[in-house]
Amino acid sequence: MVGLFLLGGQLCAPAMAENGVHATSSLERHWTSNALDSDRAVADWYTLLRGALEWRSGDDDSSMALAAEFQATRYDTVSIEDDRALALTAQAFRRLDSGVELKGTLSYRASSEGDDLVIGPLVLGMRTPKQVFAASGQVGIDLGDATSLILEASDSFEKVGATRFQSDLLMPAQLDPDRNRAEIGARLTRTVGPFTFGASGSALRISVQRLGSPLVALSLTQYSLRGEFTYTGADGSTLGAALGAEMLRGDDAIYASLRPSWQISFARKLPHGLELRGTYVGRFETADSDDPLASWLQRGELEFAATLRANLVLAGGVFAEAKENLLFKNVERKRGLYAELTCQATTSTAIVLRLDFSRTFKTVIDERQQTVDTFVGLRAKL
């Protein structure tokens, strides 16, 4: 539940955009030194196309929105890594006279993801279709004296189809399990001048299809409780901290742990159009993990943005993270940096140049990866 990790903010009101139909698109041309994203570095060029179409109607008290997004990646040589995805979203918001705000969201995402299977010296391409159905609801209650309570519930179901292999060298088979993620949470905040204090809690249940022997993935339950603090300066600079604890318990008593969790972040505006941002988090990672259960993640980021001219922005950053697999005991250590130059060619189009570099070391399996990705892209909005 992403909302529970944010520091500060209003109730559940969405950011209002101008009514009507809006479209955005981007076309990027990349070169990567590691198309297979593994210790076998294969360089290739690829094209990334993104697009979004949104319709919005309403005002600050009542609104509706429909949106469609798509993304497609096409490699020049390593076509087994091509990806395609389409997402549809419907959202409704209503503010009542009693100081209660209601928001509901329905979404559907379909994707076809390319990957590879290494069998000795052979790299075999494979493709997996996935569908995700999700629904969420929020209730925001104004308790008076700059105090608010947000209640939230969400549920998503991921359906994974059978993986097909390159040239039909292997029979289609389901390699990843179906998953259901159900979550509830509450967040209480109070604002006193430039300070915001809060407390939040959530419960997450992930039910996983039993697949494979040994099992490919395991079901789990996760609970979190934290206190929050945010300071917002007159110039828009912010300092925030969220400290608490998370408990993760795997089914069949396979694993149980209670650990402290944290998120510390800041954004500082500096003279001459400079802005500096940083984040440091420690938490369980259940959405993106190579472990059958989950991982423990620690990640730090430092970013800057500089407005060189009215239409030219230079941004960059560095990060370091350690992701500890809870059952496999492997630790994935990753470091990287990026630099991005954005030129606002017109009011509706921008040209982007970007360089990404990352280095990964997986301890138990002793695997090292190094990736350089560069691209030039065109982004447009209507």
Side-chain angles (χ1 to χ4, degrees), residues 219-273:
S219 300
L220 62 89
T221 305
Q222 179 185 350
Y223 303 97
S224 68
L225 183 66
R226 61 173 60 194
E228 303 173 358
F229 161 82
T230 305
Y231 169 78
T232 303
D235 62 349
S237 297
T238 60
L239 173 65
L243 305 175
E246 294 186 3
M247 171 177 281
L248 189 142
R249 186 187 303 274
D251 284 10
D252 303 322
I254 193 170
Y255 179 91
S257 179
L258 175 66
R259 299 195 184 190
S261 65
W262 61 88
Q263 175 174 317
I264 301 171
S265 62
F266 74 91
R268 174 68 174 171
K269 294 184 181 297
L270 301 173
H272 310 296

Side-chain angles (χ1 to χ4, degrees), residues 50-74:
R50 293 191 184 99
L53 183 65
E54 181 188 47
W55 170 83
R56 182 175 292 275
S57 177
D59 52 32
D60 290 342
D61 294 326
S62 179
S63 65
M64 292 187 61
L66 301 174
E69 300 179 24
F70 75 89
Q71 177 174 308
T73 304
R74 183 179 179 83

Side-chain angles (χ1 to χ4, degrees), residues 278-297:
T279 305
Y280 177 45
V281 299
R283 58 177 174 81
F284 285 112
E285 175 58 76
T286 59
D288 181 18
S289 173
D290 293 330
D291 192 79
L293 187 66
S295 297
W296 175 253
L297 173 69

Side-chain angles (χ1 to χ4, degrees), residues 11-12 98-101 139-144 147-151 188:
L11 298 185
C12 53
S98 57
V100 175
E101 297 178 358
V139 179
I141 305 172
D142 186 353
L143 302 178
T147 304
S148 63
L149 174 65
I150 298 177
L151 306 175
L188 180 68

Side-chain angles (χ1 to χ4, degrees), residues 3-230:
L4 296 181
F5 291 95
L6 299 180
L7 304 178
Q10 300 177 347
L11 298 185
C12 53
M16 278 302 299
E18 185 179 349
N19 288 339
V21 178
H22 308 275
T24 60
S25 63
S26 66
L27 178 64
E28 301 171 0
R29 184 62 173 167
H30 290 245
W31 179 86
T32 178
S33 65
N34 194 351
L36 297 178
D37 193 24
S38 71
D39 58 343
R40 300 189 180 189
V42 177
D44 199 6
W45 288 88
Y46 68 93
T47 302
L48 175 60
L49 177 64
R50 293 191 184 99
L53 183 65
E54 181 188 47
W55 170 83
R56 182 175 292 275
S57 177
D59 52 32
D60 290 342
D61 294 326
S62 179
S63 65
M64 292 187 61
L66 301 174
E69 300 179 24
F70 75 89
Q71 177 174 308
T73 304
R74 183 179 179 83
Y75 285 78
D76 288 6
T77 304
V78 191
S79 59
I80 58 176
E81 296 291 336
D82 292 351
D83 294 330
R84 297 181 294 274
L86 173 66
L88 305 174
T89 305
Q91 186 179 93
F93 169 76
R94 180 70 182 273
R95 178 181 289 120
L96 306 179
D97 294 336
S98 57
V100 175
E101 297 178 358
L102 306 174
K103 185 173 75 171
T105 305
L106 296 174
S107 65
Y108 168 74
R109 185 178 189 272
S111 64
S112 175
E113 301 177 2
D115 206 344
D116 57 89
L117 177 66
V118 178
I119 308 174
L122 176 66
V123 178
L124 183 63
M126 56 187 189
R127 180 160 300 281
T128 304
K130 293 183 181 180
Q131 299 181 80
V132 180
F133 306 84
S136 66
Q138 272 188 339
V139 179
I141 305 172
D142 186 353
L143 302 178
D145 293 328
T147 304
S148 63
L149 174 65
I150 298 177
L151 306 175
E152 187 169 6
S154 64
D155 192 24
S156 67
F157 176 69
E158 181 181 75
K159 175 67 176 177
V160 183
T163 297
R164 302 188 65 88
F165 297 90
Q166 186 177 6
S167 303
D168 295 327
L169 294 180
L170 296 175
M171 292 293 293
Q174 185 178 353
L175 302 182
D176 295 318
D178 299 338
R179 302 171 188 265
N180 188 82
R181 296 174 61 95
E183 189 169 12
I184 58 173
R187 182 167 178 262
L188 180 68
T189 61
R190 180 179 175 83
T191 300
V192 181
F195 302 97
T196 299
F197 304 91
S200 65
S202 66
L204 168 67
R205 173 63 183 174
I206 302 180
S207 301
V208 181
Q209 174 191 7
R210 298 181 69 88
L211 180 68
S213 181
L215 295 175
V216 175
L218 302 169
S219 300
L220 62 89
T221 305
Q222 179 185 350
Y223 303 97
S224 68
L225 183 66
R226 61 173 60 194
E228 303 173 358
F229 161 82
T230 305

